Amino acid sequence: MNIKKNDTVIVLSGKDKGAKGKVLEAMPSKNMLVVEKVNVATCHTKPRKQGEQGGIVKRETPIRSCKVALYCDKCGKGVRVGYKTVDGKKVRICRKCGAEI
């Protein structure tokens, strides 16, 4: 999986198609991502401690990584990722414009 935490991604399919957001959590073992303001579910929570308040909470749920693409600021759209070595380090680049991501 070539998407990491704090990357900006764009959703390619589903009810949130076209939405941009920051990756809050990456789960490479499950091929899932939690993206900010994408795939929001309503959860009913119970108060766990005395004095704590329960209620209805909106929470981001995981989305499959194949449904998102890395967003390139220079191109202004979702792009595929390439790799090249710069000063002995492997860096990710945009396949369309060659900009470092």
Side-chain angles (χ1 to χ4, degrees):
M1 193 164 75
N2 51 28
I3 299 171
K4 296 177 170 65
K5 187 176 178 179
N6 294 326
D7 284 344
T8 305
V9 294
I10 189 164
V11 180
L12 301 174
S13 65
K15 66 178 182 178
D16 294 312
K17 182 177 179 177
K20 278 192 294 185
K22 190 172 92 171
V23 177
L24 302 175
E25 185 183 350
M27 298 172 260
S29 59
K30 297 180 182 178
N31 275 338
M32 303 280 265
L33 304 167
V34 176
V35 183
E36 184 178 47
K37 296 180 185 168
V38 173
N39 203 23
V40 179
T42 306
C43 299
H44 298 264
T45 58
K46 268 179 121 172
R48 295 291 173 202
K49 298 176 188 167
Q50 190 171 2
E52 190 177 284
Q53 193 157 2
I56 299 170
V57 179
K58 295 205 180 264
R59 187 180 299 158
E60 288 98 357
T61 55
I63 187 172
R64 289 197 166 261
S65 62
C66 62
K67 294 186 176 216
V68 298
L70 209 55
Y71 183 79
C72 178
D73 292 322
K74 195 172 177 186
C75 296
K77 54 181 149 184
V79 293
R80 291 185 298 149
V81 179
Y83 296 94
K84 75 176 180 186
T85 53
V86 177
D87 301 327
K89 288 187 176 180
K90 188 176 175 181
V91 293
R92 296 180 298 165
I93 60 166
C94 169
R95 280 280 191 92
K96 281 195 181 284
C97 63
E100 195 173 308
I101 297 174

